[in-house]
Amino acid sequence: MAYAARRDRPVRRVTGTGQNRPVAVHQITDPDDDRIADYRALTDVELRTRWEPPHGLFIAEGELVLRRALRAGYPARSYLVDAKRADQLADLDTGDAPVYAATPDVLQRATGFHVHRGVLASFRRKPLPDAADVLAAARRVVILEDVNNHTNLGAIFRAVAGLGVDAVLLSPTCADPLYRRSVRVSMGEVFAVPYAKLEPWPDALAEVRAAGFTVLAMTPAPDAVPIQRLDAAQRARAALLLGAEGAGLTGAAMRASDARVVIPMRRGVDSLNVAAATAVACWELGRDDPL
């Protein structure tokens, strides 16, 4: 059913100090309303993967995250909020992006989950930069191979942002950093960290080395160098290379690295979760950097 034929509740207007004009809040009563198609079935990863990147959009969940997306210059397509929380957007300059509001029941039926944060927004994606441009502006980078868990990916971006690493490079098989769960786990820090695809994989690792970086492959192998023993030259322009949870790095990626590096473990523990390992390694490489 097209939304033009639907009888919706009256438009409510919310006024805030940051607005040049009142915000028109459009009440949604039907979860199948075409106007909120961007938000449909948000828990279906396969469907969202087929829908979001080809349509040039991503979904931000929570007020803090959507505000960070706006500050990072991502244009909003629309907002969808719990009707009781519409006032939370009153200070935003929403521009031409419509604000839709619905009851929690309608939100849950449309999105597929209980929207406990009460605020969603659909944003337009920006074109990804070239890997060469990202490398040219960076001193240290993290490179990920086949990291397809969205929670881990979001946690990695948060660690990279907080621990002084400049960028992330992704193999073509990595998950989408702008998937809703990745964005949420990163607390919106994915918007603050430049990232690019590194392809063809793993041959493009040669491009990283040619840019003056030392590619450090993280592995629990017993013959790997403890990360705290890296010399100054290896630390200066480091490219940390990490693989997927469990599987680790492929042999081809390992062979394309300059050195194999390990985080020493105790009590018989083999290794850390990839997001935790990224955080520890980033901290170690930057521990002597001025704050």
Side-chain angles (χ1 to χ4, degrees):
M1 183 186 300
Y3 70 79
R6 203 169 277 116
R7 297 177 61 188
D8 291 328
R9 295 175 183 173
V11 170
R12 182 161 70 93
R13 295 187 179 274
V14 177
T15 303
T17 57
Q19 289 281 141
N20 295 323
R21 55 184 171 78
V23 180
V25 179
H26 305 271
Q27 302 294 322
I28 300 293
T29 59
D30 183 350
D32 294 323
D33 194 315
D34 291 340
R35 290 175 292 181
I36 59 170
D38 282 2
Y39 305 93
R40 196 153 295 141
L42 292 182
T43 59
D44 188 330
V45 177
E46 183 179 352
L47 174 64
R48 299 309 303 186
T49 299
R50 294 199 310 268
W51 174 264
E52 292 184 12
H55 287 79
L57 67 92
F58 69 91
I59 301 298
E61 179 185 355
E63 183 181 356
L64 181 148
V65 171
L66 77 84
R67 288 178 183 273
R68 287 183 173 173
L70 288 169
R71 285 200 298 270
Y74 287 91
R77 289 164 56 99
S78 66
Y79 301 88
L80 178 62
V81 301
D82 184 324
K84 295 179 180 179
R85 299 196 184 190
D87 291 346
Q88 289 181 225
L89 305 184
D91 66 314
L92 291 180
D93 183 357
T94 54
D96 295 328
V99 178
Y100 302 116
T103 64
D105 177 65
V106 171
L107 289 176
Q108 182 165 355
R109 288 160 62 197
T111 64
F113 73 103
H114 174 59
V115 186
H116 65 281
R117 296 174 188 268
V119 181
L120 297 165
S122 175
F123 287 93
R124 296 183 180 89
R125 292 175 180 247
K126 298 178 184 179
L128 281 184
D130 292 333
D133 294 334
V134 170
L135 289 168
R139 183 168 63 104
R140 294 193 189 107
V141 300
V142 163
I143 306 175
L144 303 177
E145 180 186 40
D146 199 27
V147 175
N148 48 35
N149 180 287
H150 293 101
T151 299
N152 283 335
L153 194 61
I156 287 170
F157 269 86
R158 190 175 182 186
V160 165
L163 295 170
V165 173
D166 302 304
V168 175
L169 297 175
L170 306 168
S171 77
T173 52
C174 282
D176 177 14
L178 293 183
Y179 180 70
R180 177 179 59 89
R181 188 176 301 143
S182 296
V183 172
R184 186 185 70 224
V185 172
S186 80
M187 294 296 289
E189 297 299 346
V190 67
F191 308 134
V193 178
Y195 69 92
K197 294 285 188 180
L198 190 60
E199 48 192 346
W201 185 266
D203 294 347
L205 287 169
E207 179 182 344
V208 179
R209 298 172 70 184
F213 289 85
T214 302
V215 178
L216 304 174
M218 300 295 298
T219 173
D223 61 343
V225 178
I227 190 167
Q228 69 269 31
R229 296 182 186 168
L230 292 171
D231 61 35
Q234 291 171 313
R235 292 168 176 269
R237 286 177 60 78
L240 285 171
L241 176 59
L242 298 103
E245 192 76 22
L249 291 168
T250 61
M254 200 80 74
R255 289 189 294 272
S257 67
D258 295 297
R260 299 199 296 171
V261 178
V262 65
I263 297 171
M265 307 297 295
R266 293 169 175 78
R267 297 181 179 173
V269 177
D270 175 68
S271 61
L272 297 174
N273 161 277
V274 64
T278 302
V280 171
C282 289
W283 182 88
E284 169 61 28
L285 290 178
R287 61 183 165 83
D288 294 326
D289 290 351
L291 296 177

